[in-house]
Amino acid sequence: WWRMLAVAVFVALLGCLRAQELRGHVSIVLLGATGDLAKKYLWQGLFQLYLEEAGKGHNFSFHGTALTATEQGQEIVAKVLESLSCPKDVAPARCAEHKDQFQRLSQYRQLKTTEDYAALSKDIEALVQREGLWEAGRIFYFSVPPFAYTDIARSINSSCRPGPGAWLRVVLEKPFGHNHLSAQQLATDLGSFFREEEMYRVDHYLGKQAVAQILSFVSFQKQAAASLWPQHWVPPVLPLKPCPQAPRRTSFYEEYGVIRDVLQNHLTEILTLVAMELPLDVRSSEDVLRHKLQVFQALRGLRKGSAVLGQYQAYSEQVRRELDKPAGFLSLTPTFAGILVHLDNLRWEGVPFLLMSGKALDERVGYVRVLFKNRACCAQSEQHWVAEQSACLPRQIIFHIGHGALGSPAVLVSRNLFRPTLPGSWEEVGGPPGLHLFGRPLSDFYAYSPVREQDAYSVLISRIFHGRKDSFITTENLLASWAFWTPLLDSLAGEAPRLYPGGAENGHLLDFEFSGGQLSFSVQQPEQLVPGPGSAPAPSDFQVLRSTYRDRPLVTAWPEELIAKLADDVEAAAMKAVRRSGQFHLALSGGSSPVALFQQLAMGHYAFPWAHTHLWLVDERCVPLWDPESNFQGLQTHLLQHVRLPHYHVHPMPVHLRQRLCAEEDQGAQAYAEEISALVANSSFDLVLLGMGADGHTASLFPQSPTGLEGEQLVVLTESPSGPRRRMSLSLPLINRARRVAVLVMGRLKREIILLVSRVATSPIWLISGVQPVSGQLVWYMDYEAFLG
């Protein structure tokens, strides 16, 4: 009797626990809910998750958030929710019902401050309590730029974590850094707020059905492929041929290029799936991730000769148009790359892997093509070969990711290899009559496609919900990938890619071959792509040249390369200063020339120590700080709003006091000098960036207003010969105390003053000549138009 009672109590408790488990509430917070990615893919993916899981007893709420104002954001999200669709096998009435339920469970709210995150957390807790549920967990999907990750992570960790017993999952979109150093910095920042098991870094290609099938395919084909995998391989080829980028991506692509955009992430992840040892349990996330890491450890280092680069002919013009570059601008960003990769282990000894991606090629398609060696020689002509018997037919396995002539995801196996076994979610298919792939009719292959096609983001969102980590990138794998690619990227910086016309007219211009571990284009002498006199740019045309000007170091280059070099030097100075004293004091001039530098620092230098940087102004017009003429306003627009700099590290010049502009009695110049003396050791800035006017002035120090050229004053009020006339400026003695001074001179209009200043010593007529750091270094940065005219 007691045993029967104990069993009954146990069964009752188990039933209660199961019922409680089914009543668990999951909150999904979509950050950046009004952005392009969210509108195109993520809301649909969340709706698909709801369709799959709602009937299993899970309880959901969906919170779309962004910086967009509440009313505007609600309108955008409402339109997106109205456009959601169901799979074809869902009846229209049922679809409408689920769609209505999903819309009621979804809401938009503006999320900016820590207080906003705390309010969201309280609302979730109140909802859970009101519905009589318990909280299972929260998902935060970061569909926002990476520079915002750290602040958002801090707010979630401090104010919006779920309570004890509930899980937290944060989903991060690429790019995950720009090189190994920046990726490491981002990983360190995020690691201070989240545990490794809480982070899901998305590479959406790992959600593509053909890619997700690779491990499963190898597992199912263990016996059939044992004699072929990999001893008889010729190079596996992993090409992605996307279409040219939309205009809104031009700024991103110009900064990242094809290697960072596609090869370092998508193709590298696919490479690890193809090359990894098969885990004992392919369903174990830990085993899969551990075996992927072993592939990274076996990768042979890349050299400059491991890559060939190209750029479609219209790209530079597109960048000039979209990014408002000067007429003579020529981009060095590659839009095509072929990479030769080797693994140094017994399994893959001597087997090369070819990775390739490019824009404006002859087609848009993605696939992994595995070719096997063929030692047969057939006396009969090809027309008499029998597909399932002839040993002379090409032997290949193809994981067709999408697009191209086939269109849909597929797995293709040559009939003269073996008939593959695939899971029930895939079915054997035919194809359109006359369809040829890789030179062979589709009838030469066993062809399989998924029974139900799914969007990559829907697949990944489902795996996030179920806690499957094997389809995501761990911190360890991310840093291993960047460690592999960064040396090659550094070695290729400044290399001029081969120009190609684009589309079918490329011909054989981008064909490449390998020998002795080196890649080279098959066509050694490219045809003339640009009609008329002259020839395609040569690599020497783009080198950064070093010389001297006024007996000081001089760096000259095309504008883009010059700004990149200056930005690198500024970052190096910052790192050195932070290591030395814990802080970096940078004084910046206004005007149009530094704008490109501000943008470069904002978008391409994620490892920059902004948290330890103080920004000062070299000079300022006597206008309100919000005025378009204000140097501070230019700094705010092009730099400050894009980086995470502590607000108390920003030091605008006090030109607007007591509702007056630069009034002597308000002593704004003295106040700024006192602030510098209090915060900057010995009043010596770590770096001062100056420009040079066409009249030889620098900062706001003019020949007509000699104030500030000598004496003890650190900050002075001056008069400009052109409006706004009244200015505030650092004095020449203060500038000359700096550890490093950089003078940036750009544009053809500066050629005459460059010649004049080169011929004089120190002259009050040409005030730039008075810039002579007492114990620091002066470096001139000039573009070719200023230096050569």
Side-chain angles (χ1 to χ4, degrees):
W1 184 83
W2 282 107
R3 288 177 182 173
M4 291 175 63
L5 180 60
V7 169
V9 170
F10 175 77
V11 170
L13 286 173
L14 184 62
C16 290
L17 288 172
R18 284 178 175 170
Q20 188 180 25
E21 181 180 359
L22 291 176
R23 296 288 288 168
H25 179 84
V26 177
S27 305
I28 301 181
V29 182
L30 177 53
L31 300 141
T34 58
D36 289 341
L37 180 65
K39 289 189 286 188
K40 193 172 182 180
Y41 295 111
L42 301 183
W43 279 112
Q44 181 65 46
L46 293 177
F47 181 49
Q48 183 64 36
L49 175 70
Y50 179 72
L51 290 175
E52 293 173 357
E53 302 297 337
K56 301 176 183 177
H58 301 294
N59 191 279
F60 292 94
S61 63
F62 301 91
H63 307 267
T65 72
L67 299 179
T68 308
T70 301
E71 185 174 345
Q72 182 184 358
Q74 287 172 342
E75 291 177 4
I76 294 172
V77 169
K79 288 180 182 178
V80 176
L81 297 181
E82 191 57 41
S83 68
L84 297 175
S85 60
C86 297
K88 295 177 182 178
D89 57 354
V90 178
R94 183 169 176 267
C95 178
E97 179 184 351
H98 280 296
K99 189 173 172 181
D100 182 62
Q101 292 170 348
F102 183 78
Q103 288 173 335
R104 288 202 303 270
L105 294 173
S106 303
Q107 58 170 310
Y108 174 82
R109 66 196 299 157
Q110 190 180 43
L111 204 59
K112 293 177 70 174
T113 66
T114 303
E115 291 74 20
D116 292 337
Y117 285 86
L120 171 61
S121 186
K122 289 181 181 178
D123 289 349
I124 292 173
E125 292 167 1
L127 171 65
V128 170
Q129 188 174 11
R130 186 170 62 249
E131 298 292 331
L133 307 170
W134 66 281
E135 187 168 12
R138 298 179 188 179
I139 297 173
F140 288 85
Y141 200 117
F142 286 46
S143 181
V144 296
F147 67 74
Y149 282 3
T150 302
D151 279 358
I152 293 174
R154 183 182 294 107
S155 296
I156 292 172
N157 185 60
S158 65
S159 307
C160 210
R161 270 188 174 273
W167 45 258
L168 170 69
R169 291 170 192 154
V170 293
V171 189
L172 307 165
E173 280 283 345
K174 79 176 184 88
F176 311 118
H178 191 263
N179 53 24
H180 185 260
L181 182 62
S182 57
Q184 199 166 37
Q185 182 62 54
L186 183 59
T188 300
D189 291 345
L190 292 172
S192 62
F193 303 113
F194 303 131
R195 298 189 299 275
E196 179 63 31
E197 62 269 21
E198 294 175 330
M199 290 186 283
Y200 290 71
R201 291 183 182 84
V202 169
D203 184 326
H204 72 276
Y205 266 77
L206 293 179
K208 301 278 188 181
Q209 288 174 286
V211 174
Q213 186 60 31
I214 292 174
L215 269 189
S216 176
F217 176 88
V218 178
S219 178
F220 271 90
Q221 267 64 235
K222 279 182 183 177
Q223 268 192 323
S227 61
L228 297 170
W229 210 278
Q231 291 88 344
H232 302 96
W233 288 30
V234 296
V237 182
L238 285 68
L240 284 181
K241 300 181 179 180
C243 58
Q245 70 275 6
R248 65 180 178 275
R249 290 198 78 233
T250 301
S251 60
F252 169 85
Y253 199 85
E254 176 63 9
E255 178 61 36
Y256 281 82
V258 66
I259 296 179
R260 289 182 175 91
D261 186 38
V262 178
L263 280 83
Q264 180 274 326
N265 39 70
H266 303 328
L267 292 191
T268 302
E269 287 299 314
I270 296 173
L271 170 66
T272 61
L273 290 174
V274 173
M276 66 189 283
E277 295 283 349
L278 189 66
L280 291 176
D281 182 3
V282 295
R283 296 167 299 180
S284 167
S285 296
E286 293 79 9
D287 284 355
V288 171
L289 292 171
R290 185 171 62 254
H291 282 72
K292 286 176 72 172
L293 186 60
Q294 290 171 0
V295 175
F296 284 114
Q297 293 165 348
L299 287 171
R300 185 185 304 171
L302 295 173
R303 298 173 295 169
K304 201 171 185 177
S306 304
V308 290
L309 304 178
Q311 182 193 97
Y312 65 88
Q313 187 178 337
Y315 178 76
S316 281
E317 172 56 32
Q318 181 179 341
V319 174
R320 286 195 292 267
R321 184 177 64 253
E322 299 293 339
L323 303 184
D324 196 26
K325 298 291 185 181
F329 170 78
L330 290 174
S331 173
L332 294 182
T333 300
T335 61
F336 169 87
I339 310 290
L340 175 63
V341 176
H342 284 91
L343 277 78
D344 289 327
N345 58 22
L346 290 175
R347 179 178 176 84
W348 295 107
E349 184 178 2
V351 179
F353 290 76
L354 296 175
L355 314 183
M356 181 184 78
S357 183
K359 293 183 180 292
L361 302 184
D362 58 330
E363 61 178 341
R364 183 185 183 190
V365 66
Y367 57 85
V368 181
R369 186 184 183 197
V370 180
L371 293 170
F372 295 90
K373 293 178 182 177
N374 198 332
R375 297 186 176 89
C377 179
C378 298
Q380 281 186 312
S381 62
E382 182 178 345
Q383 61 184 334
H384 298 296
W385 293 352
V386 180
E388 296 188 36
Q389 298 175 0
S390 176
C392 289
L393 283 168
R395 303 190 299 167
Q396 52 192 324
I397 299 172
I398 299 157
F399 299 95
H400 192 276
I401 299 171
H403 301 290
L406 197 58
S408 60
V411 175
L412 309 170
V413 179
S414 294
R415 289 181 179 270
N416 58 343
L417 276 175
F418 54 83
R419 177 184 284 274
T421 303
L422 276 82
S425 57
W426 288 68
E427 61 182 357
E428 191 167 2
V429 296
L435 177 62
H436 281 62
L437 294 170
F438 310 105
R440 304 304 308 168
L442 189 61
S443 58
D444 275 8
F445 299 92
Y446 297 110
Y448 293 80
S449 282
V451 174
R452 176 181 167 192
E453 283 192 44
Q454 288 183 281
D455 169 70
Y457 279 99
S458 297
V459 171
L460 293 176
I461 287 172
S462 175
R463 294 185 179 185
I464 293 163
F465 176 76
H466 290 287
R468 286 293 307 269
K469 293 274 294 186
D470 52 312
S471 295
F472 302 90
I473 301 167
T474 65
T475 300
E476 198 170 12
N477 280 18
L478 171 69
L479 296 179
S481 177
W482 275 119
F484 174 65
W485 284 102
T486 297
L488 176 69
L489 288 164
D490 289 344
S491 71
L492 294 174
E495 285 290 303
R498 168 174 290 191
L499 294 179
Y500 58 94
E505 294 183 16
N506 292 336
H508 297 291
L509 197 60
L510 295 179
D511 293 351
F512 56 90
E513 55 195 46
F514 61 93
S515 175
Q518 296 266 338
L519 277 189
S520 60
F521 284 115
S522 301
V523 179
Q524 294 303 317
Q525 294 297 327
E527 58 192 273
Q528 182 73 25
L529 298 178
V530 183
S535 60
S540 58
D541 295 330
F542 299 96
Q543 291 176 351
V544 175
L545 303 179
R546 301 171 187 274
S547 184
T548 60
Y549 178 78
R550 292 179 54 83
D551 298 322
R552 299 289 185 141
L554 166 67
V555 179
T556 58
W558 291 112
E560 190 78 5
E561 287 67 56
L562 183 71
I563 292 298
K565 171 60 178 168
L566 177 54
D568 288 342
D569 290 350
V570 172
E571 181 175 351
M575 294 294 190
K576 183 177 180 180
V578 170
R579 286 195 298 269
R580 182 181 63 248
S581 64
Q583 292 183 325
F584 176 54
H585 289 276
L586 172 63
L588 296 170
S589 287
S592 58
S593 294
V595 167
L597 173 65
F598 299 162
Q599 294 171 341
Q600 179 84 8
L601 290 172
M603 303 305 294
H605 289 258
Y606 299 111
F608 199 99
W610 293 114
H612 305 281
T613 297
H614 286 257
L615 284 186
W616 304 82
L617 288 186
V618 168
D619 60 337
E620 181 61 278
R621 297 173 172 90
C622 290
V623 295
L625 294 183
W626 58 85
D627 191 290
E629 292 281 343
S630 165
N631 288 342
F632 177 79
Q633 186 57 231
L635 188 64
Q636 168 69 19
T637 301
H638 299 292
L639 179 62
L640 294 180
Q641 69 174 348
H642 302 292
V643 299
R644 298 303 176 182
L645 189 75
H647 68 88
Y648 48 86
H649 284 190
V650 180
H651 307 279
M653 282 186 158
V655 294
H656 195 192
L657 298 174
R658 298 182 178 88
Q659 299 183 348
R660 295 182 295 196
L661 294 171
C662 294
E664 294 275 3
E665 55 270 31
D666 291 334
Q667 297 187 334
Q670 292 89 323
Y672 205 55
E674 290 171 3
E675 189 176 6
I676 292 170
S677 299
L679 296 178
V680 182
N682 301 317
S683 298
S684 298
F685 291 109
D686 294 299
L687 193 150
V688 175
L689 175 68
L690 300 176
M692 182 171 68
D695 60 353
H697 84 270
T698 191
S700 282
L701 302 173
F702 303 94
Q704 299 88 345
S705 180
T707 308
L709 303 187
E710 54 188 14
E712 298 297 322
Q713 281 187 282
L714 301 183
V715 184
V716 295
L717 293 174
T718 67
E719 292 286 335
S720 166
S722 60
R725 298 182 63 88
R726 197 76 163 145
R727 308 285 181 94
M728 185 179 290
S729 176
L730 303 186
S731 70
L732 197 56
L734 177 58
I735 291 171
N736 285 332
R737 290 189 194 181
R739 293 176 180 272
R740 186 182 180 98
V741 177
V743 182
L744 176 63
V745 189
M746 300 178 71
R748 190 171 300 173
L749 295 177
K750 301 293 177 68
R751 172 60 179 157
E752 185 176 350
I753 190 64
I754 286 293
L755 285 174
L756 289 171
V757 172
S758 69
R759 299 168 182 167
V760 302
T762 303
S763 169
I765 299 176
W766 318 114
L767 292 182
I768 189 69
S769 66
V771 178
Q772 298 179 5
V774 177
S775 57
Q777 183 184 31
L778 169 62
V779 181
W780 294 82
Y781 294 82
M782 298 184 196
D783 69 354
Y784 287 145
E785 289 193 338
F787 185 58
L788 302 174

